[in-house]
Amino acid sequence: MTIPNRKSVVKALAENYDLRAGKTDAERKRISHMFVRLVAQTLRKEDQNWGLLAKPHGNNYEGYKVDGLAYRDFNGGVCWLIDIISASESDEAAPAWQVQDKPEPLEDWRVPPPTKEPPVDPPVEPPTKPPTQPDPTPVNLAEVLTKLNHIEVVLQQLLLREFPDYEGKMWVGSLVLKPRK
């Protein structure tokens, strides 16, 4: 059977994907698998034979092979494995296209589940220092008390002052006020 070579699709998708982003083995495994899942979903749009390989034991992520696709062959009753990440789960991880010589049983072929999470965690911004408030301008309390006393004196004078009553009348759209006698 001839397996379609889709290395160009793998490389194109890898341009926007950091396969080396994880800091721990678990993060790298998840990142590798999410990339494989993205490639499988993309390839299935043109050929429904692309999928994932169920791998419940050994090196797997959520029960699937971490770094490869599966292409089903109904005539042969098998599925063929294609590794699409070389040195997955390492600082050397890179897109690849390596068809494996030994097929796997067809019953291990799976439709890729929908992606529920972003392929790579968004970068974490380092915590920023809260903005510092400028030092308050020093205040002379004696000056403040002097001004308050002055305000208090002016208020007392206003309260003691007598204000005349005014009467008003409208005169051609204007209000005219004059003190009452």
Side-chain angles (χ1 to χ4, degrees), residues 84-139:
I84 61 168
I85 305 173
S86 65
S88 68
E89 305 172 55
S90 77
D91 290 335
E92 304 299 318
W97 190 266
Q98 184 178 4
V99 178
Q100 300 299 308
D101 295 336
K102 181 180 168 239
E104 296 289 330
L106 187 58
E107 55 267 10
D108 291 342
W109 181 94
R110 300 286 187 273
V111 172
T115 305
K116 298 177 189 170
E117 59 183 276
V120 178
D121 293 332
V124 176
E125 294 294 325
T128 58
K129 282 177 117 179
T132 56
Q133 297 294 328
D135 290 335
T137 307
V139 176

Side-chain angles (χ1 to χ4, degrees), residues 7-157:
K7 185 175 185 176
S8 61
V9 174
V10 172
K11 282 192 169 189
L13 290 172
E15 285 180 15
N16 297 317
Y17 206 97
D18 187 1
L19 293 170
R20 302 174 192 154
K23 304 267 187 257
T24 65
D25 288 343
E27 287 175 344
R28 288 180 177 151
K29 188 179 286 196
R30 182 183 63 80
I31 289 167
S32 293
H33 176 71
M34 297 310 289
F35 176 71
V36 169
R37 191 182 286 190
L38 172 68
V39 172
Q41 290 168 346
T42 302
L43 293 176
R44 283 183 59 75
K45 291 175 184 173
E46 65 181 55
D47 185 345
Q48 294 290 305
N49 290 314
W50 290 107
L52 301 177
L53 181 73
K55 187 175 180 184
H57 306 291
N59 188 19
N60 71 67
Y61 184 82
E62 295 182 350
Y64 297 99
K65 180 172 175 54
V66 173
D67 58 358
L69 300 172
Y71 189 81
R72 67 180 165 191
D73 173 8
F74 284 115
N75 294 332
V78 295
C79 62
W80 295 92
L81 292 181
I82 302 95
D83 284 336
I84 61 168
I85 305 173
S86 65
S88 68
E89 305 172 55
S90 77
D91 290 335
E92 304 299 318
W97 190 266
Q98 184 178 4
V99 178
Q100 300 299 308
D101 295 336
K102 181 180 168 239
E104 296 289 330
L106 187 58
E107 55 267 10
D108 291 342
W109 181 94
R110 300 286 187 273
V111 172
T115 305
K116 298 177 189 170
E117 59 183 276
V120 178
D121 293 332
V124 176
E125 294 294 325
T128 58
K129 282 177 117 179
T132 56
Q133 297 294 328
D135 290 335
T137 307
V139 176
N140 184 340
L141 289 179
E143 288 178 21
V144 171
L145 288 174
T146 302
K147 289 179 182 179
L148 282 174
N149 286 335
H150 177 70
I151 292 170
E152 193 175 347
V153 168
V154 171
L155 283 174
Q156 288 296 327
Q157 290 172 349

